[in-house]
């Protein structure tokens, strides 16, 4: 998992509330067994026209299809982002697409946990602060935000400054780039020593 300290990036405004995990990554793509390759299916039903002769083509009215947001690593959204089913694939899709940060007033609990384990910083700001950022991202050309995990701040070049809370353990894992496997491997020496002693003790035990 890539360590996260500070990032400055274009910000995409997704002005919708209750964005659920089935919209983030629809169920028909959950059969894949890899963690990679989900980015092309992110918001699949919203990114593509669903009816008419051009069904399946990119929907030019959907924000992620606008060229001015290409390469953005920060997503701004409405409250209750990531609600619905507990699929970790939602975090995989956001990460694979390139998002490192999602800013919203609130997040579903299970999605909040899944995102952190996949290197995504979730910054909870007030509804008023998010509304301002959405408006600026929609109207300001090349609008960028800077998110510092170390300082726990969100800032822009127009004077916006906000702080967000994050628990110490989640922050540590994100800053160090540690997922569950990485955390376990930090204790590899102790685990190997235990296994060696366990095997040795079993060898010394009297046989029946």
């Amino acid at each position: 998992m890539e360590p996260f300290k500070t990032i400055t990036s274009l910000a995409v405004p997704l002005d919708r509330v209750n964005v659920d995990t089935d919209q983030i990554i629809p169920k028909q793509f959950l059969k894949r067994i890899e963690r990679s390759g989900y980015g092309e299916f992110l918001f699949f039903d919203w990114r593509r026209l669903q009816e008419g002769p051009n069904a399946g083509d990119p929907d030019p009215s959907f924000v992620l299809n606008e060229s001015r947001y290409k390469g953005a690593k920060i997503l701004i959204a409405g409250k209750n982002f990531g609600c619905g089913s507990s699929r970790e694939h939602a975090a995989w899709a956001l990460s694979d697409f390139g998002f490192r940060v999602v800013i919203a007033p609130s997040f579903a609990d299970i999605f909040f946990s899944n995102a952190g384990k996949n290197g995504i910083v979730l910054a909870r700001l007030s509804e008023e602060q998010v509304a301002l950022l959405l408006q600026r991202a929609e109207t300001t050309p090349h609008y960028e935000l800077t998110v510092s995990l170390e300082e726990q701040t969100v800032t822009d070049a127009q004077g916006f400054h906000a702080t967000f809370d994050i628990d110490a353990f989640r922050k540590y894992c994100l800053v160090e780039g540690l997922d569950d496997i990485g955390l376990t491997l930090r204790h590899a020496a102790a685990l190997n020593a235990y296994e060696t002693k366990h095997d040795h003790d079993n060898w010394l035990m009297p046989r029946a």
Side-chain angles (χ1 to χ4, degrees), residues 2-197:
E2 185 179 353
F4 190 114
K5 292 182 172 59
T6 300
I7 190 171
T8 298
S9 169
L10 292 171
V12 179
L14 183 63
D15 193 6
R16 306 188 187 201
V17 300
N18 301 318
V19 175
D20 64 37
T21 53
D22 192 47
Q23 290 295 349
I24 296 172
I25 183 70
K27 59 184 178 298
Q28 64 265 34
F29 303 114
L30 305 188
K31 298 176 183 178
R32 298 170 58 90
I33 59 174
E34 307 90 353
R35 286 193 178 195
S36 60
Y38 285 93
E40 63 178 300
F41 309 120
L42 178 69
F43 300 122
F44 185 85
D45 293 339
W46 290 344
R47 286 169 65 189
R48 289 162 177 77
L49 296 169
Q50 299 301 308
E51 299 178 348
N54 297 320
D57 289 350
D59 183 347
S61 68
F62 185 61
V63 64
L64 260 64
N65 291 329
E66 295 185 35
S67 60
R68 64 178 175 141
Y69 297 117
K70 185 176 181 180
K73 297 182 179 180
I74 299 173
L75 179 66
I76 310 166
K79 62 184 179 181
N80 199 29
F81 187 89
C83 57
S85 69
S86 60
R87 64 191 70 169
E88 190 173 6
H89 304 70
W92 297 351
L94 287 161
S95 178
D96 193 66
F97 190 81
F99 286 119
R100 299 298 313 279
V101 179
V102 182
I103 299 170
S106 59
F107 299 92
D109 290 341
I110 296 178
F111 173 79
F112 192 87
S113 176
N114 288 337
K117 292 178 180 179
N118 287 278
I120 301 172
V121 172
L122 301 184
R124 285 183 285 220
L125 302 183
S126 70
E127 291 191 43
E128 292 76 18
Q129 290 169 329
V130 170
L132 176 60
L133 295 183
L134 285 168
Q135 186 269 332
R136 289 185 177 180
E138 289 169 358
T139 61
T140 305
H142 309 293
Y143 181 69
E144 291 187 332
L145 286 170
T146 295
V147 177
S148 170
L149 180 56
E150 294 177 307
E151 300 296 328
Q152 297 175 213
T153 58
V154 178
T155 57
D156 71 7
Q158 301 179 36
F160 180 87
H161 184 281
T163 60
F164 61 93
D165 293 328
I166 185 169
D167 70 83
F169 179 69
R170 177 184 292 268
K171 181 177 179 178
Y172 167 77
C173 291
L174 287 164
V175 168
E176 296 296 324
L178 297 172
D179 57 13
D180 289 345
I181 295 174
L183 282 167
T184 301
L185 290 176
R186 288 220 159 178
H187 302 283
L191 291 169
N192 289 336
Y194 173 82
E195 288 294 330
T196 299
K197 182 179 184 302

